[in-house]
Amino acid sequence: MLDTNRLRVFRAVVASGSVGAAATHLGYTPSAISQQIAALQRETGLTLFEKSGRGITATATGRVLAAESDELMGNLSRLSALVDDLRDGRSIGLSIGCFASAGQIWMPPVAKALREEFPDALVTFNLNELGEPSLGHRPEIDVRTEAIDGPVMTLPGHERHVLHEESYYLVMPRDHALSDREEIPLSSIAQEPWVDNDRSDSTCSKIVARACRAAGFSPRYVARCEDHYTAIAMVGAGVGVTVLPRLPLVRVTEDVTFARLVEPEPRRRIVAIVRDGVRSSPVAARALELLDHAAAQQHDTGRVRVGD
């Protein structure tokens, strides 16, 4: 078995770039760091560092070990936090991943209800739009999106919980020629100037691009943003129109309006990827109930109210 403290020191040296920097970050002496590295190399039988000028640099083998240990160290960190919670008599905490609009609309009332019902529990919320985390770093409940007509999201050691399905909408200035419509055929906005609101490789961007191809055109983008807040502000300023799912439009400024897109109708599904065994935690079980309630309230009223 590897000594996890030596592994932690080794990873700190790789990340910091030098023994001296790692010693400063960890509060050790440089000689203590060197001793830990030497012991780990003896323990593994691997050459993890090589001399580089007056310092050292990780070998290819060392870099592989550092990368492959991410999941292990993430699991150990969670286990350590669990031990602390149990020892101190606190309710077991919970980590929830989400995308930006879910974080803005759904998570605050969910957090408020959990705070009232489980005052000793620490609930951590993380944005998950920067890429797929490793299994060891994935939160207990990970709220993500997928295309209605695409492959469903599955993950070993996790269960899938569907929260909501929703349509996409044209967001336009209030004085736009189509602002009095409730539904707008997608082909009718082929010549409009568009404001992009997400990364090109995101689920939402792919859903919109596929629907536009089905309608026989490619959007004419005049501005690109990487978040819906900026894109909506651009629309309000008259730069162009943008296309967004319903959730980010629960709260919009008065200078824009929106209408549902049809023919074809782009849609997305919101799912929670839940780690096996998490439902046994009262905090996690209640969080899922609250998320279901938030999704149902949005579907019924366009607003979000979380409560009993």
Side-chain angles (χ1 to χ4, degrees):
M1 297 291 291
L2 293 178
D3 183 296
T4 55
N5 187 58
R6 290 171 186 164
L7 187 59
R8 182 174 71 93
V9 170
F10 156 71
R11 287 164 51 85
V13 175
V14 174
S16 302
S18 72
V19 169
T24 299
H25 298 156
L26 297 179
Y28 291 175
T29 63
S31 62
I33 295 288
S34 297
Q35 290 170 15
Q36 292 286 330
I37 291 173
L40 182 62
Q41 292 190 131
R42 290 195 301 271
E43 185 178 28
T44 60
L46 300 173
T47 301
L48 303 176
F49 291 96
E50 57 190 5
K51 288 189 176 297
S52 176
R54 300 179 64 181
I56 60 173
T57 186
T59 63
T61 299
R63 291 193 297 272
V64 169
L65 179 60
E68 292 297 321
S69 62
D70 280 348
E71 182 175 342
L72 169 65
M73 300 307 287
N75 285 331
L76 286 174
S77 178
R78 280 194 304 275
L79 183 60
S80 178
L82 173 61
V83 170
D84 289 343
D85 287 341
L86 294 173
R87 183 185 60 242
D88 297 338
R90 293 193 297 267
S91 299
I92 296 175
L94 177 68
S95 59
I96 301 177
C98 62
F99 49 94
S101 54
Q104 178 195 21
I105 305 300
W106 286 357
M107 298 308 166
V110 168
K112 183 175 185 294
L114 291 177
R115 177 73 180 88
E116 293 171 351
E117 298 176 31
F118 304 94
D120 294 328
L122 172 64
V123 184
T124 303
F125 297 90
N126 297 307
L127 286 179
N128 57 20
E129 295 177 306
L130 300 180
E132 287 289 325
S134 66
L135 288 177
H137 288 81
R138 187 177 289 273
E140 281 94 349
I141 299 175
D142 199 9
V143 179
R144 291 186 172 264
T145 61
E146 62 185 23
I148 294 291
D149 55 353
V152 299
M153 188 176 297
T154 59
L155 198 66
H158 293 70
E159 63 176 292
R160 168 188 167 81
H161 182 84
V162 177
L163 292 170
H164 186 52
E165 292 185 4
E166 61 182 2
S167 301
Y168 281 68
Y169 289 73
L170 176 68
V171 185
M172 55 195 149
R174 282 202 170 271
D175 59 357
H176 193 278
L178 300 174
S179 61
D180 60 339
R181 306 276 190 91
E182 292 187 1
E183 295 183 351
I184 297 175
L186 197 54
S187 60
S188 67
I189 58 172
Q191 301 305 316
E192 292 282 342
W194 284 47
V195 177
D196 200 0
N197 57 63
D198 209 343
R199 306 183 325 272
S200 61
D201 62 343
S202 73
T203 299
C204 286
S205 289
K206 292 176 181 177
I207 291 172
V208 172
R210 187 182 305 116
C212 290
R213 286 196 298 270
F217 74 97
S218 294
R220 180 172 65 88
Y221 288 109
V222 298
R224 293 192 182 276
C225 313
E226 290 193 346
D227 67 278
H228 64 272
Y229 307 105
T230 305
I232 292 173
M234 293 281 188
V235 173
V239 175
V241 301
T242 196
V243 172
L244 286 166
R246 183 65 178 85
L247 183 57
L249 304 177
V250 171
R251 300 170 188 158
V252 293
T253 56
E254 294 183 354
D255 52 359
V256 303
T257 188
F258 51 88
R260 186 163 62 92
L261 289 169
V262 295
E263 300 176 12
E265 180 183 5
R267 289 179 62 81
R268 73 174 180 177
R269 182 183 297 114
I270 303 176
V271 299
I273 306 301
V274 185
R275 187 179 302 154
D276 287 350
V278 163
R279 286 180 183 270
S280 62
S281 161
V283 181
R286 182 59 173 145
L288 284 170
E289 290 178 355
L290 292 166
L291 286 170
D292 278 330
H293 188 78
Q297 286 294 322
Q298 182 202 332
H299 178 73
D300 292 340
T301 68
R303 297 183 299 276
V304 176
R305 299 190 303 272
V306 174
D308 295 333

PDB file of all heavy atoms in Angstrom, residues 197-222:
ATOM      1  N   ASN A 197     -24.429  32.422 -26.851  1.00  0.00           N
ATOM      2  CA  ASN A 197     -24.475  32.531 -25.393  1.00  0.00           C
ATOM      3  C   ASN A 197     -23.809  31.375 -24.670  1.00  0.00           C
ATOM      4  O   ASN A 197     -23.956  31.228 -23.457  1.00  0.00           O
ATOM      5  CB  ASN A 197     -25.933  32.649 -24.921  1.00  0.00           C
ATOM      6  CG  ASN A 197     -26.789  31.479 -25.371  1.00  0.00           C
ATOM      7  OD1 ASN A 197     -26.553  30.334 -24.986  1.00  0.00           O
ATOM      8  ND2 ASN A 197     -27.798  31.762 -26.194  1.00  0.00           N
ATOM      9  N   ASP A 198     -23.044  30.543 -25.398  1.00  0.00           N
ATOM     10  CA  ASP A 198     -22.433  29.388 -24.738  1.00  0.00           C
ATOM     11  C   ASP A 198     -21.256  28.907 -25.573  1.00  0.00           C
ATOM     12  O   ASP A 198     -21.075  29.307 -26.724  1.00  0.00           O
ATOM     13  CB  ASP A 198     -23.462  28.262 -24.592  1.00  0.00           C
ATOM     14  CG  ASP A 198     -23.198  27.367 -23.390  1.00  0.00           C
ATOM     15  OD1 ASP A 198     -22.069  27.408 -22.854  1.00  0.00           O
ATOM     16  OD2 ASP A 198     -24.104  26.621 -22.990  1.00  0.00           O
ATOM     17  N   ARG A 199     -20.460  28.008 -24.974  1.00  0.00           N
ATOM     18  CA  ARG A 199     -19.353  27.407 -25.708  1.00  0.00           C
ATOM     19  C   ARG A 199     -19.901  26.523 -26.830  1.00  0.00           C
ATOM     20  O   ARG A 199     -20.961  25.917 -26.706  1.00  0.00           O
ATOM     21  CB  ARG A 199     -18.484  26.555 -24.782  1.00  0.00           C
ATOM     22  CG  ARG A 199     -17.992  27.266 -23.562  1.00  0.00           C
ATOM     23  CD  ARG A 199     -17.067  26.369 -22.742  1.00  0.00           C
ATOM     24  NE  ARG A 199     -17.450  24.975 -22.771  1.00  0.00           N
ATOM     25  CZ  ARG A 199     -18.313  24.411 -21.934  1.00  0.00           C
ATOM     26  NH1 ARG A 199     -18.941  25.153 -21.029  1.00  0.00           N
ATOM     27  NH2 ARG A 199     -18.576  23.125 -21.999  1.00  0.00           N
ATOM     28  N   SER A 200     -19.160  26.417 -27.925  1.00  0.00           N
ATOM     29  CA  SER A 200     -19.633  25.661 -29.081  1.00  0.00           C
ATOM     30  C   SER A 200     -19.748  24.172 -28.805  1.00  0.00           C
ATOM     31  O   SER A 200     -20.494  23.470 -29.482  1.00  0.00           O
ATOM     32  CB  SER A 200     -18.698  25.891 -30.273  1.00  0.00           C
ATOM     33  OG  SER A 200     -17.382  25.446 -29.964  1.00  0.00           O
ATOM     34  N   ASP A 201     -19.012  23.667 -27.790  1.00  0.00           N
ATOM     35  CA  ASP A 201     -19.054  22.240 -27.496  1.00  0.00           C
ATOM     36  C   ASP A 201     -20.030  21.889 -26.377  1.00  0.00           C
ATOM     37  O   ASP A 201     -20.089  20.753 -25.933  1.00  0.00           O
ATOM     38  CB  ASP A 201     -17.667  21.726 -27.127  1.00  0.00           C
ATOM     39  CG  ASP A 201     -17.103  22.392 -25.871  1.00  0.00           C
ATOM     40  OD1 ASP A 201     -17.638  23.457 -25.487  1.00  0.00           O
ATOM     41  OD2 ASP A 201     -16.146  21.850 -25.293  1.00  0.00           O
ATOM     42  N   SER A 202     -20.820  22.865 -25.917  1.00  0.00           N
ATOM     43  CA  SER A 202     -21.757  22.595 -24.834  1.00  0.00           C
ATOM     44  C   SER A 202     -22.983  21.855 -25.354  1.00  0.00           C
ATOM     45  O   SER A 202     -23.300  21.892 -26.550  1.00  0.00           O
ATOM     46  CB  SER A 202     -22.194  23.894 -24.163  1.00  0.00           C
ATOM     47  OG  SER A 202     -23.074  24.614 -25.014  1.00  0.00           O
ATOM     48  N   THR A 203     -23.699  21.209 -24.443  1.00  0.00           N
ATOM     49  CA  THR A 203     -24.916  20.485 -24.823  1.00  0.00           C
ATOM     50  C   THR A 203     -25.935  21.419 -25.452  1.00  0.00           C
ATOM     51  O   THR A 203     -26.529  21.112 -26.490  1.00  0.00           O
ATOM     52  CB  THR A 203     -25.524  19.795 -23.595  1.00  0.00           C
ATOM     53  OG1 THR A 203     -24.583  18.861 -23.061  1.00  0.00           O
ATOM     54  CG2 THR A 203     -26.805  19.057 -23.962  1.00  0.00           C
ATOM     55  N   CYS A 204     -26.159  22.577 -24.844  1.00  0.00           N
ATOM     56  CA  CYS A 204     -27.162  23.510 -25.358  1.00  0.00           C
ATOM     57  C   CYS A 204     -26.808  24.020 -26.748  1.00  0.00           C
ATOM     58  O   CYS A 204     -27.674  24.120 -27.624  1.00  0.00           O
ATOM     59  CB  CYS A 204     -27.335  24.675 -24.388  1.00  0.00           C
ATOM     60  SG  CYS A 204     -28.254  24.231 -22.900  1.00  0.00           S
ATOM     61  N   SER A 205     -25.535  24.348 -26.976  1.00  0.00           N
ATOM     62  CA  SER A 205     -25.126  24.821 -28.298  1.00  0.00           C
ATOM     63  C   SER A 205     -25.359  23.758 -29.363  1.00  0.00           C
ATOM     64  O   SER A 205     -25.795  24.055 -30.477  1.00  0.00           O
ATOM     65  CB  SER A 205     -23.654  25.227 -28.277  1.00  0.00           C
ATOM     66  OG  SER A 205     -23.469  26.409 -27.533  1.00  0.00           O
ATOM     67  N   LYS A 206     -25.081  22.519 -29.011  1.00  0.00           N
ATOM     68  CA  LYS A 206     -25.285  21.425 -29.967  1.00  0.00           C
ATOM     69  C   LYS A 206     -26.767  21.212 -30.268  1.00  0.00           C
ATOM     70  O   LYS A 206     -27.146  20.931 -31.404  1.00  0.00           O
ATOM     71  CB  LYS A 206     -24.662  20.138 -29.418  1.00  0.00           C
ATOM     72  CG  LYS A 206     -23.139  20.180 -29.360  1.00  0.00           C
ATOM     73  CD  LYS A 206     -22.567  18.921 -28.723  1.00  0.00           C
ATOM     74  CE  LYS A 206     -21.050  18.981 -28.647  1.00  0.00           C
ATOM     75  NZ  LYS A 206     -20.471  17.805 -27.963  1.00  0.00           N
ATOM     76  N   ILE A 207     -27.621  21.348 -29.251  1.00  0.00           N
ATOM     77  CA  ILE A 207     -29.064  21.205 -29.469  1.00  0.00           C
ATOM     78  C   ILE A 207     -29.559  22.281 -30.425  1.00  0.00           C
ATOM     79  O   ILE A 207     -30.310  21.995 -31.373  1.00  0.00           O
ATOM     80  CB  ILE A 207     -29.806  21.285 -28.123  1.00  0.00           C
ATOM     81  CG1 ILE A 207     -29.509  20.050 -27.266  1.00  0.00           C
ATOM     82  CG2 ILE A 207     -31.307  21.435 -28.338  1.00  0.00           C
ATOM     83  CD1 ILE A 207     -30.038  20.135 -25.855  1.00  0.00           C
ATOM     84  N   VAL A 208     -29.149  23.532 -30.204  1.00  0.00           N
ATOM     85  CA  VAL A 208     -29.592  24.630 -31.056  1.00  0.00           C
ATOM     86  C   VAL A 208     -29.040  24.472 -32.472  1.00  0.00           C
ATOM     87  O   VAL A 208     -29.758  24.661 -33.461  1.00  0.00           O
ATOM     88  CB  VAL A 208     -29.161  25.981 -30.450  1.00  0.00           C
ATOM     89  CG1 VAL A 208     -29.452  27.127 -31.419  1.00  0.00           C
ATOM     90  CG2 VAL A 208     -29.874  26.222 -29.124  1.00  0.00           C
ATOM     91  N   ALA A 209     -27.765  24.110 -32.599  1.00  0.00           N
ATOM     92  CA  ALA A 209     -27.156  23.953 -33.922  1.00  0.00           C
ATOM     93  C   ALA A 209     -27.862  22.853 -34.714  1.00  0.00           C
ATOM     94  O   ALA A 209     -28.112  23.003 -35.924  1.00  0.00           O
ATOM     95  CB  ALA A 209     -25.672  23.627 -33.780  1.00  0.00           C
ATOM     96  N   ARG A 210     -28.205  21.740 -34.048  1.00  0.00           N
ATOM     97  CA  ARG A 210     -28.889  20.634 -34.728  1.00  0.00           C
ATOM     98  C   ARG A 210     -30.280  21.062 -35.205  1.00  0.00           C
ATOM     99  O   ARG A 210     -30.705  20.741 -36.324  1.00  0.00           O
ATOM    100  CB  ARG A 210     -28.996  19.435 -33.797  1.00  0.00           C
ATOM    101  CG  ARG A 210     -29.540  18.178 -34.479  1.00  0.00           C
ATOM    102  CD  ARG A 210     -29.675  17.011 -33.508  1.00  0.00           C
ATOM    103  NE  ARG A 210     -28.422  16.741 -32.828  1.00  0.00           N
ATOM    104  CZ  ARG A 210     -28.228  16.869 -31.525  1.00  0.00           C
ATOM    105  NH1 ARG A 210     -29.214  17.286 -30.745  1.00  0.00           N
ATOM    106  NH2 ARG A 210     -27.072  16.588 -30.987  1.00  0.00           N
ATOM    107  N   ALA A 211     -30.991  21.828 -34.382  1.00  0.00           N
ATOM    108  CA  ALA A 211     -32.324  22.298 -34.768  1.00  0.00           C
ATOM    109  C   ALA A 211     -32.242  23.260 -35.950  1.00  0.00           C
ATOM    110  O   ALA A 211     -33.076  23.212 -36.871  1.00  0.00           O
ATOM    111  CB  ALA A 211     -33.001  22.968 -33.577  1.00  0.00           C
ATOM    112  N   CYS A 212     -31.231  24.131 -35.950  1.00  0.00           N
ATOM    113  CA  CYS A 212     -31.067  25.067 -37.068  1.00  0.00           C
ATOM    114  C   CYS A 212     -30.758  24.321 -38.361  1.00  0.00           C
ATOM    115  O   CYS A 212     -31.273  24.668 -39.440  1.00  0.00           O
ATOM    116  CB  CYS A 212     -29.973  26.070 -36.753  1.00  0.00           C
ATOM    117  SG  CYS A 212     -30.411  27.270 -35.465  1.00  0.00           S
ATOM    118  N   ARG A 213     -29.914  23.296 -38.277  1.00  0.00           N
ATOM    119  CA  ARG A 213     -29.628  22.499 -39.476  1.00  0.00           C
ATOM    120  C   ARG A 213     -30.900  21.857 -40.003  1.00  0.00           C
ATOM    121  O   ARG A 213     -31.128  21.799 -41.222  1.00  0.00           O
ATOM    122  CB  ARG A 213     -28.580  21.433 -39.168  1.00  0.00           C
ATOM    123  CG  ARG A 213     -27.172  21.964 -39.014  1.00  0.00           C
ATOM    124  CD  ARG A 213     -26.144  20.855 -39.093  1.00  0.00           C
ATOM    125  NE  ARG A 213     -26.312  19.867 -38.022  1.00  0.00           N
ATOM    126  CZ  ARG A 213     -25.727  19.947 -36.831  1.00  0.00           C
ATOM    127  NH1 ARG A 213     -24.943  20.982 -36.549  1.00  0.00           N
ATOM    128  NH2 ARG A 213     -25.911  19.009 -35.929  1.00  0.00           N
ATOM    129  N   ALA A 214     -31.745  21.372 -39.099  1.00  0.00           N
ATOM    130  CA  ALA A 214     -33.007  20.755 -39.517  1.00  0.00           C
ATOM    131  C   ALA A 214     -33.928  21.783 -40.170  1.00  0.00           C
ATOM    132  O   ALA A 214     -34.739  21.433 -41.046  1.00  0.00           O
ATOM    133  CB  ALA A 214     -33.701  20.115 -38.317  1.00  0.00           C
ATOM    134  N   ALA A 215     -33.800  23.057 -39.756  1.00  0.00           N
ATOM    135  CA  ALA A 215     -34.608  24.118 -40.355  1.00  0.00           C
ATOM    136  C   ALA A 215     -33.967  24.683 -41.612  1.00  0.00           C
ATOM    137  O   ALA A 215     -34.524  25.588 -42.252  1.00  0.00           O
ATOM    138  CB  ALA A 215     -34.828  25.243 -39.336  1.00  0.00           C
ATOM    139  N   GLY A 216     -32.787  24.184 -41.989  1.00  0.00           N
ATOM    140  CA  GLY A 216     -32.174  24.547 -43.257  1.00  0.00           C
ATOM    141  C   GLY A 216     -31.264  25.755 -43.238  1.00  0.00           C
ATOM    142  O   GLY A 216     -31.021  26.363 -44.284  1.00  0.00           O
ATOM    143  N   PHE A 217     -30.714  26.126 -42.089  1.00  0.00           N
ATOM    144  CA  PHE A 217     -29.821  27.284 -42.063  1.00  0.00           C
ATOM    145  C   PHE A 217     -28.814  27.147 -40.925  1.00  0.00           C
ATOM    146  O   PHE A 217     -28.949  26.309 -40.028  1.00  0.00           O
ATOM    147  CB  PHE A 217     -30.617  28.580 -41.901  1.00  0.00           C
ATOM    148  CG  PHE A 217     -31.179  28.811 -40.516  1.00  0.00           C
ATOM    149  CD1 PHE A 217     -30.516  29.611 -39.605  1.00  0.00           C
ATOM    150  CD2 PHE A 217     -32.387  28.226 -40.137  1.00  0.00           C
ATOM    151  CE1 PHE A 217     -31.026  29.827 -38.324  1.00  0.00           C
ATOM    152  CE2 PHE A 217     -32.911  28.438 -38.866  1.00  0.00           C
ATOM    153  CZ  PHE A 217     -32.229  29.231 -37.959  1.00  0.00           C
ATOM    154  N   SER A 218     -27.803  28.010 -40.970  1.00  0.00           N
ATOM    155  CA  SER A 218     -26.841  28.163 -39.888  1.00  0.00           C
ATOM    156  C   SER A 218     -26.964  29.580 -39.352  1.00  0.00           C
ATOM    157  O   SER A 218     -27.094  30.531 -40.137  1.00  0.00           O
ATOM    158  CB  SER A 218     -25.405  27.926 -40.375  1.00  0.00           C
ATOM    159  OG  SER A 218     -25.231  26.585 -40.777  1.00  0.00           O
ATOM    160  N   PRO A 219     -26.972  29.777 -38.056  1.00  0.00           N
ATOM    161  CA  PRO A 219     -27.140  31.120 -37.491  1.00  0.00           C
ATOM    162  C   PRO A 219     -26.050  32.087 -37.957  1.00  0.00           C
ATOM    163  O   PRO A 219     -24.897  31.697 -38.143  1.00  0.00           O
ATOM    164  CB  PRO A 219     -27.052  30.890 -35.977  1.00  0.00           C
ATOM    165  CG  PRO A 219     -27.406  29.449 -35.789  1.00  0.00           C
ATOM    166  CD  PRO A 219     -26.887  28.737 -37.000  1.00  0.00           C
ATOM    167  N   ARG A 220     -26.428  33.332 -38.105  1.00  0.00           N
ATOM    168  CA  ARG A 220     -25.471  34.392 -38.456  1.00  0.00           C
ATOM    169  C   ARG A 220     -25.116  35.143 -37.172  1.00  0.00           C
ATOM    170  O   ARG A 220     -25.813  36.055 -36.741  1.00  0.00           O
ATOM    171  CB  ARG A 220     -26.091  35.343 -39.485  1.00  0.00           C
ATOM    172  CG  ARG A 220     -25.159  36.478 -39.919  1.00  0.00           C
ATOM    173  CD  ARG A 220     -25.775  37.263 -41.075  1.00  0.00           C
ATOM    174  NE  ARG A 220     -27.000  37.952 -40.703  1.00  0.00           N
ATOM    175  CZ  ARG A 220     -27.058  39.179 -40.190  1.00  0.00           C
ATOM    176  NH1 ARG A 220     -25.933  39.866 -39.993  1.00  0.00           N
ATOM    177  NH2 ARG A 220     -28.211  39.752 -39.908  1.00  0.00           N
ATOM    178  N   TYR A 221     -24.014  34.732 -36.551  1.00  0.00           N
ATOM    179  CA  TYR A 221     -23.622  35.319 -35.278  1.00  0.00           C
ATOM    180  C   TYR A 221     -22.917  36.653 -35.498  1.00  0.00           C
ATOM    181  O   TYR A 221     -22.038  36.776 -36.347  1.00  0.00           O
ATOM    182  CB  TYR A 221     -22.707  34.369 -34.511  1.00  0.00           C
ATOM    183  CG  TYR A 221     -23.443  33.176 -33.957  1.00  0.00           C
ATOM    184  CD1 TYR A 221     -23.245  31.903 -34.504  1.00  0.00           C
ATOM    185  CD2 TYR A 221     -24.332  33.318 -32.902  1.00  0.00           C
ATOM    186  CE1 TYR A 221     -23.932  30.803 -34.003  1.00  0.00           C
ATOM    187  CE2 TYR A 221     -25.018  32.224 -32.396  1.00  0.00           C
ATOM    188  CZ  TYR A 221     -24.808  30.970 -32.949  1.00  0.00           C
ATOM    189  OH  TYR A 221     -25.488  29.887 -32.449  1.00  0.00           O
ATOM    190  N   VAL A 222     -23.308  37.651 -34.706  1.00  0.00           N
ATOM    191  CA  VAL A 222     -22.667  38.956 -34.753  1.00  0.00           C
ATOM    192  C   VAL A 222     -21.932  39.257 -33.452  1.00  0.00           C
ATOM    193  O   VAL A 222     -21.166  40.226 -33.379  1.00  0.00           O
ATOM    194  CB  VAL A 222     -23.700  40.070 -35.033  1.00  0.00           C
ATOM    195  CG1 VAL A 222     -24.353  39.863 -36.393  1.00  0.00           C
ATOM    196  CG2 VAL A 222     -24.772  40.124 -33.932  1.00  0.00           C
TER     197      VAL A 222
END
